[in-house]
Amino acid sequence: MMFYLALFLAFLYFKIVRVYKKEEKGSALINAQNIIVLVASLAILAYGVLHVEWYLFVPFIFIFATLVSFMITAIQIGVFVEGKPIFGLTHIYKYLPYLTLAIFVSTFSMWFFRVFAV
């Protein structure tokens, strides 16, 4: 279960960063987060290739990519109440460090419990 959560969060992170890169100017902090999440994503993919059956792993890649795209598109279009957006992309950008931490912790724990399983 941790594998699928980590995979979904990694797709979500990279979709948000893709939109962020188009709209905002990059910074050293964002680049450092991107590198951390890239390494964690490669670890997630390696875990999937080594420990998950391919017929479960491959379809979930497409499902998660589609779901994340729909989610970010819905936020870009916006949810408005009386002409003011309730939740926009600027709110999401504030939570990128927490998302990075969640991806890193889930990836680390996934590998840690696999290696040191009793």
Side-chain angles (χ1 to χ4, degrees):
M1 190 67 178
M2 184 68 72
F3 166 73
Y4 295 110
L5 175 67
L7 185 65
F8 178 77
L9 291 177
F11 275 110
L12 182 63
Y13 179 86
F14 281 116
K15 183 63 176 179
I16 291 170
V17 168
R18 182 174 168 261
V19 173
Y20 180 83
K21 187 176 179 183
K22 287 183 178 181
E23 294 181 358
E24 305 287 332
K25 187 174 181 180
S27 67
L29 179 62
I30 293 294
N31 290 337
Q33 288 178 4
N34 290 346
I35 291 170
I36 290 169
V37 175
L38 177 66
V39 171
S41 298
L42 292 175
I44 293 167
L45 292 175
Y47 184 91
V49 168
L50 295 173
H51 301 292
V52 179
E53 292 81 12
W54 68 270
Y55 53 85
L56 293 175
F57 175 58
V58 174
F60 272 100
I61 289 176
F62 291 109
I63 291 168
F64 288 159
T66 305
L67 283 175
V68 166
S69 295
F70 286 149
M71 289 170 57
I72 299 302
T73 302
I75 292 172
Q76 282 178 314
I77 292 172
V79 178
F80 295 93
V81 173
E82 297 178 6
K84 295 182 181 180
I86 302 174
F87 194 75
L89 285 172
T90 56
H91 295 280
I92 292 177
Y93 298 152
K94 293 177 187 176
Y95 296 115
L96 276 178
Y98 301 114
L99 187 58
T100 302
L101 182 65
I103 293 168
F104 181 76
V105 167
S106 63
T107 304
F108 178 78
S109 63
M110 179 177 61
W111 277 101
F112 181 80
F113 290 125
R114 182 66 182 191
V115 171
F116 296 110
V118 181

